[in-house]
Each structure stands twice: as C-alpha cells, then as structure tokens.
Amino acid sequence: MTRLLINGELVDGQGTFPSLNPATGEVYGHAPEATTAQAEAAVAAARTAFDTTAWSTDVQLRIRCLDQLHQALLDHAEELRELTIAEVGAPRMLTYGPQLDDPVKLVRYYADLLRKYPLTEELGEVEIRGQRHRRWTEKEAVGVVTAITAYNYPNQLALAKLAPSLAAGCTVVLKGAPDTPLTTLFLGQLIAEHTEFPPGVVNVLTSSGADVGETLTTHPDVDMITFTGSTATGRRVMEAASRTVKKVFLELGGKSAMIILDDADFATAAMFAAGTICSHSGQGCALTSRLLVPREHHDEIVEKVAAGLARIPLGDPADPKTFAGPLISEVQREKVDGMVKRAVAAGATLVTGGEKVDPGFFYKPTLLTGVDPDSEIAQDEIFGPVLVVIPYDDEDDAVRIANNSVFGLSGGIQSGDDERAVALARRIRTGTFSVNGGNYFSADVPFGGYKQSGIGRESGPAGLEEFLETKSFAIVVRS
C-alpha cells in the first residue's frame, strides 16, 4: 500500500480514500487519509530538520540528495509513467513531455544551478562618518515550506516546488491533490527508499478533506506556502497565510487569449488553436481558451478550427496515439458541461462538441461562437476542452479584449510577421506568451502570472529565489 512520508518514515494514515481512473470511472487504488495530527507532526519534523540540522547550510548535502532524487526518478520512470497515465488520465504522449519527463529535468536543473548560484554578493566598501564599512549580502533559506499542488500535472507541480525549495535549503511538507494522490505519494516513496534526505526534510501527505490543508496553511511553524490551484482557493490560502504573515507563492487560474492576426496562415493558426485547447483535454491553467480573430475572417477561421477539433478524437490515455483523454472526474465534467449549457442558453452558438462521452469522464472538444466577451464562459476558467471565439475590429480592440480579464497567466499570437507579433504581445498583461507557436515551458524559464493569476515565479533562477531570503551585513574595516 502507498504510504505517507513523515519524518523520514513511511506510515499509514487513518483509513484510506479512493483514487479513480478517469478513463473508466472505476476505482484505481486507495490513498492514506492523513489526519490533522499527522499534518502537525510533519510540520514539527520539518521545523526540527530546518532548525537543528545542517540541511539549510550544507550545500553539498543538498546537491547530493537532489542528484539521488533525479537518478531515482530516472530509474523508476516507467512505473511512474504508468501510474500517471492511469490516475491522472494523462495521454501517454504527454508523459514524454510536461506530465513526467520534463518535470524530472527540473531536479537536474536545480542541482546544477545550486552548484554555481552565488549565495554571497560583495557590495564593496563605503565611508560613513569617518569610518570604512564593508557590506555584503548572503542568501538564506526561507525555512519550513508547505507545498500544495493541483491534480492536472501532479509530477510537474510537485517537482517544480520540491526541487527549488530543497535546493534553497528549505524543508518541505508536500500535500498532493485529492484527485491524484498516488502519483504524489510515489515521489515520497522514492525519497524514503532511494535518497539520503535527512528525516523531516521532505514530508508527503494526502487527504480528501480540507482539514489537513487548513492546518498546513495556518500553522505558526510554517514560514512559506507555495500553492498551485484555482484562484478562488488561492485567495483562501492567502487569507490563511496573512494571519501569521507567511510568504506566499501562488500559481493560480488563467483565461488566456490567442490572437490570430489578419496576416497569419489561418490553417496553421486554426490547427494550433484546436490542438492547444485539447492538450490534456483543456486541463491546463495556461492554455489559450479564448480565440480572438479578425472580424472579417471570423467565419473562415471558425470553420477551420471546427475541422481541427473534429480531427482530435477522444481515446484511451494509455494508447500512444491518443492526444485527448478524459477529464479528471465527474464533478469536473459536470462543471464544464454546465458552463457550456449556460453559455448556449445565454445566446452563444455551439459549433461542435458539448457532449459527454462514457464510460469514464470524457468530454468532446467544444467550440462556441457568438460569445459575449464579458460573459461567464469568456471570463471564468473552464478547465476543459472548450474554446470560445471572439471577433475583434483592429489591433487595439484585440489588445483590449485580451486584457479584459482578472487573469494574466499566458497568451499566444499567430502572425506572418514576427516583429508585429512581438510588438502586440508586449501589450498583453500576462506572465508568459507564445509567439507563432513558440514554447516557453522549460526548467530554465520563469513561469507565473500577472493580476489574479498569481504571485511569484516557478522555474528558472527566479524559482530558486522564491525560497531564499536576503540578509545584508556590514562590518567596520579596521586598518
């Protein structure tokens, strides 16, 4: 049975809760139900490891343990791949990219970055009131970190939090999403059985209720919270953290726009738009779920996008040829279907899709036109394979519509002129942007959003710096 990791030991919870295979709707396995007492024990273990061991100051130990974790992930990649396909409903082809193989590279990246990252910076000497003063800064770990992840890319989200926080010298309590607990617990098992992380440095919990998360976000011994999930939940996390003024990193929702300019190759742009919204069946916070098109070319582009969606059949995620698999749960499928139905009732036109497919939690790729830019379907995150088309009159109008959102996570643009595309992209208030199909998603590229899409950046040097404090020193220079 998969177990919790607390203070270096794999332990049972108080009972279990089921994890479903979203492609069949059947129970795939059971995860241990952590208690609030176990959450408190995990925090205590992390606090003790940070305060009383050399973990936060021993750079070579941290590098060695990250190297070991990277090797363990490589050695057990095929086991984790099959688990991810079955529990997450991730198409096999995605596990060779952002669902597994790319996240593993994060561990290697941060081990290598730690080898060369300057933790001390000399600021030189100055004369103040007749004395010379030498100044410098040192980077120190924030402390005990609570890491809470979403279900859609559990390996990516867990390792994007674990790798930089551990490299920085923090100790961590990681809580996996209740829809994908087994995938996250597998990481805890690898750490316990194949690495030399000292007891308490990494703790891994799962639970189906809210009590454990509440404990982890309000506990006075937690110094920082890193959370990925919905903006609504992120607001509650931020509020909980405010009680003890914890540092927070939030990677939240998105309602990103893809703009097709009038000089684009419409066939290529339409194919890209269709493929993007169907990636992992639309369960990605940075996916472009609003398609902005020139008004005079609206019908032509809609026809091409609809044809592209029709060429993306739903299928068994274990099949190497499957591009679009199931949604994570019946609850999520009902949410998506409800939003589509309300949009049609409000006057939108359903061009294609809008249907459930059984067994499992599949939902047909869906295209809507005639959508009010201020309506629910155009403003709220759907997290399903649903694309809404909105016409614009000119570039200024396209920018206005793209920025008409509380979110600012990502965006895309398709144009025959790279310089024109980049100039327009700079006017969109988002943290990431794809120009003519460019892929920014990599271990060395900072990822995060503006506005209500979050606070801070994951990946790249910025991802490490989220978990570091800067301490400034000065000493009198004696001659």
Side-chain angles (χ1 to χ4, degrees):
M1 179 186 291
T2 308
R3 306 172 86 187
L4 309 170
L5 175 62
I6 302 175
N7 200 26
E9 300 290 333
L10 293 172
V11 299
D12 295 328
Q14 189 176 67
T16 63
F17 64 95
S19 175
L20 306 184
N21 180 333
T24 65
E26 298 175 350
V27 174
Y28 174 71
H30 290 83
E33 186 78 73
T35 64
T36 55
Q38 287 176 313
E40 290 171 351
V43 172
R47 184 82 264 165
T48 298
F50 186 82
D51 290 342
T52 67
T53 76
W55 175 256
S56 67
T57 57
D58 192 336
V59 172
Q60 293 308 310
L61 172 61
R62 302 204 300 269
I63 291 172
R64 184 168 75 249
C65 289
L66 286 169
D67 284 344
Q68 291 168 347
L69 176 56
H70 180 253
Q71 189 59 52
L73 286 162
L74 293 177
D75 292 343
H76 296 271
E78 296 315 308
E79 298 168 63
L80 186 51
R81 192 181 314 282
E82 299 305 321
L83 174 56
T84 302
I85 291 167
E87 185 180 49
V88 184
R92 183 176 297 276
M93 66 171 63
L94 270 186
T95 68
Y96 294 101
Q99 282 286 9
L100 179 57
D101 288 3
D102 288 350
V104 171
K105 295 174 185 175
L106 281 163
V107 183
R108 170 84 283 133
Y109 172 81
Y110 280 108
D112 290 342
L113 181 62
L114 186 56
R115 288 179 166 93
K116 61 186 180 183
Y117 186 86
L119 293 169
T120 299
E121 180 183 6
E122 289 289 338
L123 302 179
E125 296 181 9
V126 295
E127 184 173 332
I128 302 174
R129 292 187 290 276
Q131 288 185 311
R132 299 293 295 175
H133 300 261
R134 173 195 163 213
R135 296 88 39 77
W136 75 98
T137 62
E138 295 180 5
K139 300 287 189 181
E140 298 180 350
V142 166
V144 175
V145 173
T146 285
I148 301 176
T149 61
Y151 65 77
N152 55 330
Y153 286 83
N155 296 310
Q156 166 67 33
L157 300 177
L159 293 175
K161 298 181 186 305
L162 283 178
S165 60
L166 295 172
C170 297
T171 57
V172 185
V173 181
L174 170 66
K175 180 185 177 297
D179 286 310
T180 54
L182 304 179
T183 306
T184 304
L185 290 170
F186 191 89
L187 298 177
Q189 183 177 338
L190 292 184
I191 289 168
E193 296 178 351
H194 300 283
T195 74
E196 297 175 73
F197 282 97
V201 168
V202 186
N203 306 270
V204 183
L205 306 177
T206 54
S207 70
S208 61
D211 290 350
V212 166
E214 177 75 12
T215 298
L216 296 178
T217 53
T218 59
H219 201 293
D221 284 337
V222 170
D223 301 298
M224 176 178 173
I225 302 168
T226 172
F227 169 80
T228 297
S230 72
T231 294
T233 304
R235 294 187 192 109
R236 294 197 294 272
V237 168
M238 195 171 184
E239 182 181 5
S242 71
R243 302 172 202 169
T244 48
V245 197
K246 303 183 193 303
K247 184 175 182 180
V248 294
F249 167 86
L250 301 174
E251 199 271 282
L252 306 176
K255 192 66 180 178
S256 303
M258 180 185 294
I259 302 171
I260 298 179
L261 295 183
D262 55 11
D263 63 353
D265 180 319
F266 294 157
T268 299
M271 179 181 67
F272 192 75
T276 298
I277 198 61
C278 290
S279 178
H280 196 29
S281 287
Q283 296 172 111
C285 53
L287 297 182
T288 44
S289 56
R290 291 182 295 157
L291 184 62
L292 278 50
V293 304
R295 191 176 299 277
E296 64 270 24
H297 299 290
H298 175 275
D299 293 350
E300 177 186 358
I301 294 173
V302 166
E303 182 179 350
K304 293 181 185 300
V305 174
L309 291 174
R311 290 195 293 269
I312 302 177
L314 303 176
D316 179 358
D319 186 336
K321 297 179 181 178
T322 294
F323 184 79
L327 297 177
I328 190 64
S329 67
E330 183 60 24
V331 170
Q332 181 59 23
R333 186 166 69 163
E334 284 293 330
K335 175 197 170 187
V336 172
D337 191 52
M339 291 182 74
V340 170
K341 282 182 166 57
R342 288 193 296 275
V344 172
T349 298
L350 179 64
V351 178
T352 187
E355 300 176 41
K356 301 177 185 178
V357 179
D358 297 323
F361 310 129
F362 294 88
Y363 198 79
K364 281 191 175 182
T366 300
L367 184 64
L368 293 167
T369 61
V371 170
D372 181 345
D374 294 320
S375 65
E376 176 195 45
I377 201 77
Q379 289 291 320
D380 292 354
E381 189 171 46
I382 302 173
F383 239 54
V386 180
L387 183 63
V388 300
V389 181
I390 302 172
Y392 66 85
D393 295 319
D394 54 26
E395 288 190 6
D396 289 343
D397 194 34
V399 170
R400 180 189 63 79
I401 296 170
N403 285 332
N404 177 30
S405 174
V406 299
F407 302 113
L409 187 55
S410 193
I413 192 164
Q414 292 284 324
S415 170
D417 183 334
D418 285 349
E419 290 187 6
R420 180 189 180 195
V422 171
L424 196 66
R426 289 194 174 110
R427 299 174 63 189
I428 311 301
R429 297 284 295 167
T430 65
T432 57
F433 215 91
S434 170
V435 177
N436 287 330
N439 187 355
Y440 53 77
F441 200 73
S442 178
D444 61 340
V445 177
F447 178 82
Y450 293 10
K451 300 188 281 186
Q452 293 188 36
S453 283
I455 299 172
R457 293 295 182 269
E458 275 185 336
S459 299
L464 177 66
E465 290 158 3
E466 291 288 342
F467 298 96
L468 293 170
E469 297 278 19
T470 299
K471 179 179 286 185
S472 299
F473 292 85
I475 190 169
V476 173
V477 178
R478 305 187 187 280
S479 56

